[in-house]
Amino acid sequence: MSNLSTRAEQLAAFDRLLTIMDELRAQCPWDQKQTTESLRHLTIEETFELSDAILEGNPDEIKKELGDILLHIVFYAKIGSEEGNFDIATLTNSLCEKLIRRHPHIYGDTQANDAETVSQNWEKIKLKEKGNKSVLGGVPKSLPALIKAMRIQEKARGVGFDWEEKHQVWEKVEEEMQEFKEEFNASDAKEIDQEKATAEFGDLLFSLINYARFIDINPEEALERTNLKFIKRFQYLESAAQKSGKNLADMTLAEMDVFWNEAKKL
């Protein structure tokens, strides 16, 4: 591909970025004002924007959003150097050393011929490095619940705590579904125990996430794709209703279903 650069060009581009960061930090009032704390929420926003670009499969947007995240990394490194804590070189070398430690099958004499073994080795080495008392100690508390569930399951699998066959996982899903149904039967008009039903629903979701992971489906990505699909169909419904001179609030569900089914065909 003609837009790919040589290693020398890549290094020159990175050096240019570091120079621009130095200049902005020295001369721009906004850049001078920033701290690691003020950048934090912006970094989170940029990460979600990258996620959107990846789901949309748009290479130009992915490139743009990756550039924004790279800017943030360089920015944090610049602030770190000003405070005497770290700079881009110590940060990068620390990363290189970690990658070497956690790939003993490449840089040592450990045998790992498949991705699963590599993942298990990674988690074991990480556990020793961090000194965590629990395998799950490295899961960030602030992660969204769905992603957290997936990471918890992956880390447990990393030390061998997992189902052996996918049918066992599906049986667990069915078991949790039955328990939830018993707690909240759709055909039963009696009032449910909200707290107990919530707990059972959580168990059901956890087991579904586990099954998705077991068959190599990323549940977060799957749900987000469904969210985007619903948004597109609902926006078509809104647009179609407006073109026909109708207001959604005044339409019956049957009338809305006509436009909804049109959206599904599209």
Side-chain angles (χ1 to χ4, degrees):
M1 294 177 63
S2 60
N3 62 337
L4 295 184
S5 310
T6 64
R7 176 59 64 88
E9 290 170 332
Q10 292 169 7
L11 293 173
F14 194 68
D15 181 65
R16 182 187 179 201
L17 173 60
L18 293 178
T19 299
I20 292 173
M21 185 73 256
D22 289 343
E23 292 169 347
L24 294 179
R25 189 67 171 169
Q27 302 174 39
C28 174
W30 186 89
D31 289 279
Q32 289 174 335
K33 186 179 178 181
Q34 301 314 305
T35 65
T36 52
E37 290 77 14
S38 69
L39 288 174
R40 176 181 171 274
H41 75 281
L42 297 175
T43 306
I44 293 171
E45 182 180 338
E46 294 295 353
T47 304
F48 279 107
E49 289 179 357
L50 172 61
S51 175
D52 288 345
I54 291 172
L55 287 176
E56 291 165 5
N58 188 326
D60 288 337
E61 282 300 306
I62 292 173
K63 179 183 71 173
K64 171 179 170 293
E65 300 303 340
L66 282 172
D68 290 341
I69 289 178
L70 178 58
L71 168 62
H72 280 238
I73 293 171
V74 169
F75 211 148
Y76 286 119
K78 178 62 178 176
I79 295 172
S81 68
E82 293 170 353
E83 296 174 346
N85 297 323
F86 56 84
D87 61 19
I88 196 67
T90 55
L91 182 157
T92 305
N93 282 325
S94 177
L95 171 60
C96 291
E97 290 160 8
K98 180 173 72 174
L99 289 173
I100 291 170
R101 283 196 312 272
R102 294 190 185 178
H103 289 81
H105 55 291
I106 302 296
Y107 302 102
D109 54 8
T110 300
Q111 293 295 315
N113 299 317
D114 57 75
E116 181 62 29
T117 304
V118 172
S119 179
Q120 290 179 359
N121 287 341
W122 178 284
E123 291 298 338
K124 290 174 184 176
I125 296 169
K126 184 176 180 179
L127 189 61
K128 289 180 181 178
E129 288 176 354
K130 290 183 173 291
N132 290 332
K133 295 181 180 179
S134 169
V135 171
L136 307 181
V139 180
K141 295 178 181 178
S142 59
L143 272 181
L146 194 151
I147 299 176
K148 185 188 291 185
M150 185 172 63
R151 292 298 292 135
I152 287 170
Q153 294 165 3
E154 288 173 345
K155 285 187 174 292
R157 181 179 180 83
V159 292
F161 186 77
D162 202 4
W163 302 94
E164 294 180 354
E165 304 291 339
K166 67 179 181 180
H167 71 83
Q168 297 173 311
V169 191
W170 184 249
E171 287 170 2
K172 183 62 177 175
V173 172
E174 292 181 320
E175 175 189 326
E176 297 295 352
M177 175 65 82
Q178 183 59 37
E179 289 181 8
F180 178 67
K181 184 179 179 181
E182 290 172 359
E183 205 59 48
F184 178 44
N185 193 325
S187 61
D188 193 340
K190 72 176 183 180
E191 186 175 348
I192 67 167
D193 183 327
Q194 198 69 34
E195 185 173 344
K196 205 171 178 185
T198 298
E200 294 296 347
F201 187 69
D203 291 344
L204 174 58
L205 279 180
F206 193 84
S207 65
L208 279 169
I209 292 167
N210 208 8
Y211 186 73
R213 177 187 58 82
F214 214 86
I215 59 174
D216 295 323
I217 292 175
N218 184 310
E220 166 69 18
E221 180 180 338
L223 181 58
E224 181 59 12
R225 288 185 183 277
T226 296
N227 288 340
L228 294 173
K229 181 170 62 177
F230 183 91
I231 289 170
K232 287 180 180 178
R233 289 177 179 177
F234 193 82
Q235 288 176 341
Y236 175 88
L237 165 62
E238 290 176 314
S239 176
Q242 186 177 28
K243 288 178 181 177
S244 65
K246 297 180 180 178
N247 189 319
L248 283 185
D250 299 326
M251 294 172 65
T252 65
L253 184 58
E255 289 174 323
M256 287 190 280
D257 275 342
V258 173
F259 295 132
W260 183 262
N261 288 328
E262 287 179 5
K264 287 171 67 175
K265 292 177 183 177
L266 292 175

